[in-house]
Amino acid sequence: MAIRDGEKTPLFDSDLQGPPSPSSSLLIEKHETCQTDWQTVILPDQVLTLYMRRCGVEYGSRAGVLRGLVLTKGSVVIEKRACEQIFRLDSPTPTLTVRLSDSALTQAAEASPGIRDFVPTDRAAEDTRLSSLLYALERERVHGYPAGRLFVDGIEQALAAILVSYDGIASRASQMFKGGLAPYRMKRVNEFIHARIEEEISLNELAQAAGLSSSHFCSLFRKTLGTTPHQFVLNRRIQHAKTLLSDPSRSILDVALASGFRTHQHFSRIFNRFTGASPSSYRGQL
């Protein structure tokens, strides 16, 4: 959900817990975060973080004044997007972080055109509507998402409907969404990657799936997702591999080949880069 050194990574420097989200729109990360040093990130998308234990957090920018917050259990933070920021935690805490799609926010804003008195984003910490929805999502995650994508999509729509009442959220979503890949083109790209996840995928093939030239596709893709097509495909391969690793009958090499990696070594190196753990260590935590 964050960009560090030009690559998309989880928001916090800790291993992700549990199964991946069944939705490609509402991304979900559960972390048991430790006390951290200063971390620098850019969030290209709209992210919410639910703090599940009292914790002190310091936010800021390299050029700005630092701001300290004491967040109680159940506090929700609307993270700033599309700008470099630094933060650190002063104590261990479990967190649930979700990424909402711009299309969900845009649709919610269009359905609520009468909103004029926007709420300051720092009021989100006390918004029990947001925390209740995120706790419901956490209960669903703990049980392995038994209700499936439909439930998760409903949570995203409800979160988006609340978020667009906060100051600047709807306008920022519109700005980020404008000029990027149209949703139907992105859907074609996702479907193409899913169908070819075990095979080599070229940039030209992705561009053709979107119906664009390679150069135009790369430009729009970065505007939409804040990363390169190559990094996006690698991320999709790793997410696919995580699912396969839950099957103990599959060897690590089988998982690697089924996820589009040609060697065990390459798979292990990329897996560790994206998750902070080796495939075997990750499997042992499931």
Side-chain angles (χ1 to χ4, degrees):
M1 294 185 190
I3 294 178
R4 307 170 196 264
D5 299 324
E7 295 184 1
K8 274 204 167 184
T9 67
L11 178 58
F12 294 102
D13 288 336
S14 61
D15 294 340
L16 298 179
Q17 298 186 345
S21 169
S23 170
S24 60
S25 177
L26 186 71
L27 304 186
I28 303 165
E29 294 180 1
K30 174 66 187 299
H31 294 268
E32 288 286 344
T33 59
C34 300
Q35 181 177 351
T36 66
D37 293 326
W38 287 107
Q39 301 185 49
T40 302
V41 298
I42 299 174
L43 303 179
D45 308 304
Q46 188 58 65
V47 171
L48 296 178
T49 302
L50 171 69
Y51 287 83
M52 305 173 75
R53 187 184 301 149
R54 182 184 177 89
C55 180
V57 186
E58 288 184 273
Y59 284 91
S61 64
R62 292 194 180 279
V65 178
L66 299 179
R67 179 188 181 197
L69 300 173
V70 176
L71 299 168
T72 58
K73 179 180 179 181
S75 293
V76 178
V77 172
I78 300 176
E79 306 287 358
K80 291 184 179 180
R81 66 183 296 185
C83 63
E84 184 177 83
Q85 61 179 316
I86 58 176
F87 74 93
R88 70 177 177 183
L89 307 178
D90 70 2
S91 60
T93 183
T95 60
L96 186 75
T97 305
V98 301
R99 189 292 309 261
L100 284 83
S101 68
D102 281 336
S103 57
L105 291 168
T106 301
Q107 290 170 12
E110 290 173 349
S112 306
I115 296 177
R116 290 293 180 270
D117 297 325
F118 291 107
V119 181
T121 53
D122 58 8
R123 294 271 298 278
E126 302 174 359
D127 194 330
T128 57
R129 299 172 302 167
L130 292 174
S131 58
S132 295
L133 287 168
L134 291 174
Y135 272 118
L137 192 62
E138 166 62 0
R139 290 191 293 271
E140 179 73 3
R141 186 199 67 82
V142 166
H143 291 91
Y145 301 107
R149 179 168 180 172
L150 186 61
F151 177 86
V152 175
D153 286 345
I155 293 287
E156 181 179 28
Q157 292 173 4
L159 288 170
I162 297 169
L163 276 184
V164 294
S165 67
Y166 280 87
D167 188 33
I169 300 299
S171 61
R172 284 199 295 272
S174 178
Q175 290 167 4
M176 292 295 292
F177 196 66
K178 184 178 181 180
L181 281 174
Y184 78 92
R185 294 188 191 275
M186 194 65 228
K187 181 180 179 182
R188 289 178 184 173
V189 171
N190 277 314
E191 289 173 346
F192 180 83
I193 295 171
H194 179 73
R196 298 278 298 277
I197 198 71
E198 297 184 16
E199 306 172 24
E200 290 285 344
I201 297 175
S202 71
L203 176 61
N204 284 337
E205 288 173 330
L206 290 175
Q208 288 173 7
L212 298 167
S213 68
S214 295
S215 59
H216 194 199
F217 171 73
C218 285
S219 174
L220 294 182
F221 195 94
R222 184 175 285 277
K223 285 182 180 179
T224 304
L225 296 175
T227 190
T228 66
H230 174 65
Q231 290 300 317
F232 181 78
V233 171
L234 282 180
N235 183 64
R236 291 293 300 275
R237 292 192 191 281
I238 294 302
Q239 296 306 315
H240 182 66
K242 286 181 177 180
T243 301
L244 298 182
L245 285 169
S246 64
D247 181 357
S249 67
R250 285 181 174 268
S251 69
I252 300 297
L253 179 58
D254 286 340
V255 172
L257 295 176
S259 303
F261 296 93
R262 301 280 71 86
T263 67
H264 183 296
Q265 292 79 6
H266 185 222
F267 170 57
S268 295
R269 179 164 56 84
I270 299 301
F271 192 93
N272 185 71
R273 185 203 301 173
F274 275 81
T275 69
S278 67
S280 56
S281 296
Y282 178 85
R283 170 174 272 173
Q285 297 168 6
L286 296 177

